[in-house]
Amino acid sequence: MRYVGDVAVGAVGLGAMPLSIEGHPDEARAVATVHAALDAGVTLIDTADSYHAPVGGAPGDGELLVARALAAYGGARDRVLVATKGGRGRTPDGGWTVDGDPARLRCAAQASARRLGVEAIGLYQLHKPDPAVPYAESLGALRDLLDAGTVRMAGVSNVDVAQIRLAREILGDRLVSVQNRWSPAVRDSEPELRLCAELGLAFLPWSPLGGISRSSLDGASTQAADPRFGAFHRVARERGVSPQRVALAWALARSPVVVPIPGASRPETARDSAAAAELALDGRELELLGP
């Protein structure tokens, strides 16, 4: 278990983005994927109002899917923390927009709460700083949402050290998380990870499997040319597990504030990712995988 604010969550979360954007699975498999993750001990599900297909989809499709999957789940749901994000949108050609306007952020959060069927969103995250809006003003919208009870905890995403410090200044202890891209292939958020450890903020790396090739669950995986990534495959062969599981175990070993949120679109991959919480890498393996 790890902590997001005062909420204990499974050490590995579920990134629900692949369940609702272009190329998403059908409803039955998407719901089964969420259920498999919950059965495997996942209690943090991450989504966003912008996780929808650019053509034929609508804002909030991902949130509605998560809500339906939770409603249909036969197990305990009271420990599940649903995190969503606001401040981004889609374009018909598959691109992404950014909108940090405070009024629109407040409306977006209220709409997200309705779609999730909750009085207060457990964790609401500002998806990305908007270069057209002073960041302090966007953060002020999160503060307003916290004050109004629409949001219980707040987080920021795709940010640098200075933006994290500003968010802490404006939101105080109600800022509980940072969600940045970080993986074996993309390690430029190390300063942000260190700051999160210093401040006691959960660090939720998105796309945490970057650099690792096709899952062994899809058949034989090829070894990457970069020796950093080849080491993950070597350890995986020695352990008899997937290189993806090794990558997530490596992430967990880096800091106790790390809670990776790998995406999944099949029950098998959701279960495999969750199992990383039980994979303890030894010193030799961690040295091989690199800092």
Side-chain angles (χ1 to χ4, degrees):
M1 304 298 289
R2 303 224 162 166
Y3 278 88
V4 178
D6 60 357
V7 178
V9 298
V12 177
L14 172 67
M17 180 179 176
L19 300 177
S20 53
I21 64 167
E22 51 268 43
H24 63 80
D26 62 29
E27 175 97 0
R29 197 174 90 187
V31 170
T33 300
V34 174
H35 291 179
L38 297 173
D39 288 342
V42 168
T43 58
L44 170 64
I45 301 175
D46 180 83
T47 185
D49 60 2
S50 57
Y51 290 170
H52 64 87
V55 177
D61 281 352
E63 294 168 328
L64 290 169
L65 172 67
V66 169
R68 289 194 297 271
L70 288 173
Y73 185 59
R77 303 191 300 267
D78 58 323
R79 295 177 58 205
V80 178
L81 173 63
V82 176
T84 192
K85 298 181 288 292
R88 300 210 75 177
R90 303 300 309 274
T91 59
D93 62 356
W96 298 81
T97 60
V98 183
D99 188 351
D101 178 78
R104 285 192 284 272
L105 284 172
R106 288 189 288 267
C107 289
Q110 292 162 0
S112 291
R114 288 193 296 271
R115 286 188 291 262
L116 292 171
V118 297
E119 292 184 5
I121 297 171
L123 173 61
Y124 193 70
Q125 304 157 100
L126 184 56
H127 208 151
K128 187 176 184 180
D130 184 346
V133 178
Y135 196 48
E137 293 184 11
S138 299
L139 292 168
L142 290 189
R143 183 187 56 212
D144 294 344
L145 290 165
L146 288 160
D147 291 343
T150 308
V151 172
R152 199 169 82 76
M153 299 184 294
V156 291
S157 182
N158 299 301
V159 288
D160 59 27
V161 164
Q163 290 163 334
I164 296 171
R165 291 195 182 278
L166 179 59
R168 181 59 174 257
E169 178 183 333
I170 291 174
L171 303 174
D173 291 340
R174 296 183 294 180
L175 175 73
V176 301
S177 66
V178 171
Q179 185 176 142
N180 276 11
R181 187 180 184 186
W182 182 72
S183 68
V186 181
R187 306 192 189 188
D188 53 3
S189 275
E190 294 286 339
E192 289 75 26
L193 171 56
R194 289 193 293 271
L195 180 58
C196 286
E198 175 189 325
L199 298 177
L201 303 175
F203 185 77
L204 316 178
W206 61 268
S207 197
L209 298 176
I212 307 301
S213 61
R214 293 174 66 236
S215 169
S216 59
L217 297 170
D218 293 319
S221 61
T222 58
Q223 183 156 328
D226 191 310
R228 292 181 306 166
F229 311 147
F232 288 88
H233 292 259
R234 174 181 167 183
V235 172
R237 287 193 300 271
E238 294 172 351
R239 288 289 196 128
V241 299
S242 72
Q244 287 73 24
R245 194 184 304 187
V246 173
L248 294 172
W250 166 82
L252 291 169
R254 291 299 308 280
S255 171
V257 301
V258 170
V259 185
I261 47 172
S265 59
R266 293 181 299 155
E268 298 92 333
T269 50
R271 284 191 287 265
D272 187 67
S273 291
E278 304 299 329
L279 179 60
L281 301 173
D282 62 30
R284 180 194 67 83
E285 292 167 327
L286 290 171
E287 183 176 359
L288 182 66
L289 298 176

